[in-house]
Amino acid sequence: MNFQTLINPLSKDNPVIVQVLGICSALAVTAKLQPAVVMTISVVAVLALANVIISCLRKTIPTSIRIIVQLVVVAALVVIVDQILKAFTYDVSKQLSVFIGLIITNCIIMGRLEAFALNNRPWPAFLDGVGNGLGYGIILIIVAFFRELFGSGTLWGYQVIPQWWYDAGYQNNGMMILPPMALITVACIIWVHRARNKDLQEQ
């Protein structure tokens, strides 16, 4: 069961392409690969730790204020992550701008706290947080890979398309770095994923 809790969000129950959650940040932070990877690490850390904390406190949290408690826990973790990013990766922190702060209201995080952490022990809750964070991050990284490669000709800021291609007339596709292309790329991933998973086609 613990193995499935960790693995299912990576594909079969992916929060982005199956549950269609967290699309907003996929539009916002995937023009470059580096911010997408940093956002992935941040979400995994916040979601895993928040799940564990809420799971440990689940029997002491009054039902009437559970959402407030969840928001306080997530907000505290996001502030810590934001300060760490500013201390060690300031340039990336500037690129992510307000989107790190918006992790607080990420529907994936609040959804997992409400649906899983409040009803399970800390270890399964931790695995659920890691699995859903990675499932979310995989999609961000795939989208960012194609958007940066075709939109800028780079990966992680390094030129990967050879100069002679440009000399021969190749041009970067400027549309790839526009937000609508993130949505189109996610739609293509959903299409491929559902084509390969017949049981999802009726959902």
Side-chain angles (χ1 to χ4, degrees):
M1 178 180 176
N2 285 346
F3 180 74
Q4 293 301 321
T5 299
L6 178 65
I7 295 300
N8 280 352
L10 301 182
S11 178
K12 183 179 178 181
D13 199 24
N14 188 279
V16 179
I17 60 176
V18 176
Q19 301 176 43
V20 196
L21 301 173
I23 295 293
C24 297
S25 52
L27 303 180
V29 302
T30 55
K32 300 287 184 181
L33 187 58
Q34 188 178 18
V37 171
V38 173
M39 177 63 94
T40 297
I41 295 170
S42 301
V43 169
V44 169
V46 170
L47 182 52
L49 291 174
N51 263 13
V52 170
I53 293 170
I54 295 299
S55 178
C56 291
L57 298 176
R58 70 188 188 282
K59 294 182 180 179
T60 63
I61 301 174
T63 302
S64 59
I65 62 167
R66 70 186 189 282
I67 300 298
I68 297 173
V69 174
Q70 292 169 21
L71 284 171
V72 169
V73 169
V74 175
L77 292 171
V78 168
V79 168
I80 293 171
V81 168
D82 187 40
Q83 293 304 309
I84 291 173
L85 290 179
K86 287 179 178 177
F88 295 102
T89 57
Y90 183 70
D91 290 340
V92 177
S93 177
K94 285 178 63 178
Q95 291 180 54
L96 292 172
S97 182
V98 298
F99 297 106
I100 286 293
L102 289 176
I103 291 175
I104 297 170
T105 57
N106 191 310
C107 46
I108 296 172
I109 293 178
M110 298 306 297
R112 297 322 298 169
L113 294 178
E114 185 74 9
F116 198 91
L118 280 173
N119 301 300
N120 290 274
R121 296 172 65 84
W123 178 243
F126 173 77
L127 294 178
D128 179 79
V130 172
N132 278 276
L134 289 176
Y136 162 86
I138 285 171
I139 304 305
L140 254 66
I141 291 170
I142 292 172
V143 173
F145 176 89
F146 288 107
R147 290 185 70 196
E148 182 175 0
L149 179 63
F150 294 116
S152 303
T154 61
L155 285 175
W156 206 268
Y158 295 99
Q159 190 71 36
V160 294
I161 294 181
Q163 183 59 42
W164 65 268
W165 280 32
Y166 294 101
D167 295 338
Y170 176 83
Q171 292 186 358
N172 294 326
N173 185 348
M175 288 186 63
M176 287 298 292
I177 60 177
L178 299 178
M181 287 308 299
L183 192 59
I184 293 172
T185 307
V186 171
C188 292
I189 295 171
I190 293 174
W191 173 52
V192 171
H193 184 259
R194 296 203 173 197
R196 294 174 60 87
N197 294 271
K198 304 297 183 183
D199 56 322
L200 297 175
Q201 293 182 6
E202 298 301 322
Q203 297 185 16

